[in-house]
Amino acid sequence: ENPEPDRASIYHSVIINTSKEMMCYSDFPIPAHFPNFMHNSLIMDYYRMYADHFQLTKHIRFNTHVLNIKKRSDFSRSGQWDVETENKDGRREKHIFDAVMICIGHHCQPNLPLHDFPGIETFTGKYFHSRDYKTPEEWRNKKAVVIGIGNSGGDIAVELSRVTKQLYLSTRRGAWVLNRVGDDGIPLDLLFNRVLNILRNVIPFSLICSLGEKRLNSRFNHSLYNLKPKHRLFSQHPTVNDELPNRILSGTVQVKPNIRRFHGSNVEFDDGSIVDDVDLVVFATGYNFSFPFLASNVVPVSENQTSLYKYVFPPELDRPTLAIIGLVQPLGAIMPISEMQARWATRVFKALGYVLHILNSCFVIRYVSSQRHTIQVDYIDYMDEIADLVGVRPRISRLLLTDPRLGLNLLLGPCTPYQYRLRGPGKWAGARQAIFTQWDRVAQPMQTRPCNEPEPLRSLKWPLLLSAAVVGLAAYYYKNSLLVFLQDPAALLDMMKSWLPTH
């Protein structure tokens, strides 16, 4: 209920925007009866199921705060770390660890750029970062402004618009808006497969963007809704929101440009329009990331950028015993990526035949320049890249020959995490079956009532067409006889009698 410093926080209504088959751990499918897009409480249930299944809780020390992590004096030889912790009773302890994995993500430290909003100190209403938003009830019949059109900004704008007098959504750049529901009602992220990923890497970037933008505009014209951004579709992390177009269409959300200034309770936008008597401003302006418990020279961060080999290992360390897990911002689910990073990191820690070549991580230049895109990766490409290092990347070309049914599922079906448990370290015997049954788990939570539709009446269309074709062919073949019949029907009847058997 009360956000804590340096920890992530969510609002009550958060529903994940990646489907369950794409976000599960690779050796533990989410229960079939769970919905495809889960409420945050169900995600917590799944994590508990996972921990219980693998008996992990006995290895976890809960309610423990990490105060600092320092290299030991003999780090260049041992690679060990001194870690100081504090428990819920305030008791401090010091530990020595052979390796450390930092898994705090990048939603801990809110970015609140008040200096970009002149007059904010005069604002008579209430303002806070989206991290501090919990429920909408307090703002019933009030006027509210949400700044930012990322996933949090879109969600909060939609939810507030159901109770507020009017909701204004302010965006500098606009956004391409995707919905969770894809063609035929299938979760959208299940429609992207390896074939489409190959095409995306082969087809010119501008063309693939144009095709995608045309598809999105066929659902609703982004220009008409004042949402069309200047950047191309695949140049920025898209916003996933099924309801935003409906709220704009109903007038409960009004899209506005950037805010020029505040003056008391009034908000002036860059287009010169002014909204009076604003009660609430929510800054959905993203997050900064840093590692305050580490010495600044271990993983230096500047303007939300840091140098990490494949977004995991700091390149300047003498020993690769520190890994950053889950820092990336994927075009896809973060959970399987974090798992894959962890599988790689633990094998590096154990030195199982790996030589870590230290290179600076490469920033993909197609993304627009903003703090959101310093840690952006493409899901399939990045998963395959790390899977190669672990030795678990699926050999699709070989499977197409030896197990064509499975190979085709990998190629044409969704790139679910089970693909990375078919071979190599950590191979799971249930991976093949999990792939074959993934569509059953997609369908099951929606089968909540019998749907016994009456069988349609057999169509007479094809029998009639077939009969007409037979008559036409017969008429053509016996056209001479037909002419005789038309001229002298009695003669044709006599001819037919000669074909009949005699007694």
Side-chain angles (χ1 to χ4, degrees), residues 66-75 78-85 93-100 293-295 298 321-322:
V66 175
L67 299 174
N68 58 70
I69 302 171
K70 296 179 181 178
K71 290 188 286 187
R72 304 210 78 209
S73 57
D74 62 347
F75 179 82
S78 69
Q80 291 181 325
W81 300 85
D82 287 321
V83 179
E84 185 178 6
T85 62
E93 291 183 271
K94 291 186 177 180
H95 317 262
I96 299 173
F97 284 99
D98 296 309
V100 172
F293 40 80
L294 282 174
V298 176
T321 57
L322 176 69

Side-chain angles (χ1 to χ4, degrees), residues 212-276:
E213 290 161 10
K214 183 178 180 181
R215 189 69 181 272
L216 292 182
N217 280 325
S218 68
R219 178 183 174 230
F220 75 92
N221 189 307
H222 283 59
S223 295
L224 180 63
Y225 282 64
N226 282 319
L227 290 174
K228 183 179 179 180
K230 295 179 181 179
H231 61 264
R232 305 305 304 271
L233 172 59
F234 295 109
S235 294
Q236 182 170 329
H237 198 79
T239 296
V240 179
N241 197 302
D242 294 76
E243 300 181 70
L244 183 58
N246 296 333
R247 306 311 296 179
I248 296 172
L249 199 61
S250 65
T252 55
V253 170
Q254 285 188 24
V255 181
K256 304 293 283 185
N258 195 41
I259 293 175
R260 180 178 294 170
R261 66 174 62 89
F262 289 88
H263 183 70
S265 64
N266 297 347
V267 178
E268 181 181 351
F269 297 93
D270 279 348
D271 61 357
S273 62
I274 297 176
V275 175
D276 302 324

Side-chain angles (χ1 to χ4, degrees), residues 151-208:
N151 287 315
S152 294
D155 280 354
I156 293 171
V158 165
E159 182 166 276
L160 281 171
S161 72
R162 298 194 184 100
V163 301
T164 53
K165 183 177 181 181
Q166 184 62 59
L167 189 289
Y168 301 91
L169 179 57
S170 170
T171 172
R172 286 182 300 172
R173 286 196 298 262
W176 295 106
V177 180
L178 279 65
N179 54 326
R180 291 178 175 88
V181 184
D183 293 346
D184 299 318
I186 300 299
L188 183 66
D189 55 0
L190 293 177
L191 301 177
F192 295 99
N193 55 36
R194 290 182 176 276
V195 170
L196 290 178
N197 191 62
I198 293 169
L199 293 175
R200 183 183 60 80
N201 290 324
V202 171
I203 297 175
F205 178 72
S206 59
L207 177 58
I208 197 75

Side-chain angles (χ1 to χ4, degrees), residues 94-169:
K94 291 186 177 180
H95 317 262
I96 299 173
F97 284 99
D98 296 309
V100 172
M101 304 167 81
I102 297 174
C103 313
I104 62 173
H106 55 92
H107 291 110
C108 294
Q109 297 158 9
N111 175 46
L112 196 61
L114 298 182
H115 57 274
D116 291 338
F117 297 90
I120 186 67
E121 69 280 359
T122 71
F123 181 58
T124 56
K126 187 175 181 179
Y127 68 84
F128 50 74
H129 192 270
S130 58
R131 177 179 178 272
D132 298 320
Y133 173 82
K134 292 297 178 182
T135 59
E137 283 78 11
E138 180 183 351
W139 307 105
R140 187 171 296 276
N141 297 322
K142 306 287 188 180
K143 288 185 181 178
V145 176
V146 173
I147 301 172
I149 197 173
N151 287 315
S152 294
D155 280 354
I156 293 171
V158 165
E159 182 166 276
L160 281 171
S161 72
R162 298 194 184 100
V163 301
T164 53
K165 183 177 181 181
Q166 184 62 59
L167 189 289
Y168 301 91
L169 179 57

